[in-house]
Amino acid sequence: MKIYRDADADVADLGGRLLAVIGYGNQGRAQALNLRDSGAHVVVGSSRDQSFDRAVADGFEPVAIAAASVAAVAAGTNLRLRREGVQSETWRWIR
């Protein structure tokens, strides 16, 4: 197994790349904000709930999970940060 460290990556490689963060809970919010601050173009996929409202308050324009999944697959990037109980339901959009 290869372990990647900070020296193995350059955050500049994220500049302008489309990344979809599926889920805007504890992990999704932190990752989306960090990626956006690093220069990536972040699309947040969220259910219409409190996390959706939080994403809007943080300056994102969240979209349906299916739309974010399709966009991520087209761009070749994807982060799925949903709780385990609902993780599997999002995979049908990326086949």
Side-chain angles (χ1 to χ4, degrees), residues 8-59:
D8 296 318
D10 184 356
V11 73
D13 292 337
L14 295 176
R17 267 191 98 160
L18 172 77
L19 297 169
V21 174
I22 309 301
Y24 202 74
N26 294 334
Q27 284 293 316
R29 181 174 190 244
Q31 297 293 336
L33 291 169
N34 187 317
L35 289 165
R36 182 177 68 187
D37 291 348
S38 296
H41 174 69
V42 178
V43 173
V44 173
S46 178
S47 302
R48 286 214 171 249
D49 56 13
Q50 293 173 338
S51 63
F52 186 97
D53 296 336
R54 186 181 306 154
V56 171
D58 287 342

Side-chain angles (χ1 to χ4, degrees), residues 9 15-16 18 23 60 63 66 71 86 92:
L18 172 77
F60 291 102
V63 297
V86 294
R92 65 179 169 220

Side-chain angles (χ1 to χ4, degrees), residues 45-89:
S46 178
S47 302
R48 286 214 171 249
D49 56 13
Q50 293 173 338
S51 63
F52 186 97
D53 296 336
R54 186 181 306 154
V56 171
D58 287 342
F60 291 102
E61 295 180 14
V63 297
I65 291 170
S69 297
V70 169
V73 169
T77 58
N78 202 333
L79 291 175
R80 301 198 167 272
L81 300 168
R82 301 193 76 205
R83 64 186 186 278
E84 292 174 8
V86 294
Q87 182 74 258
S88 63
E89 71 187 45

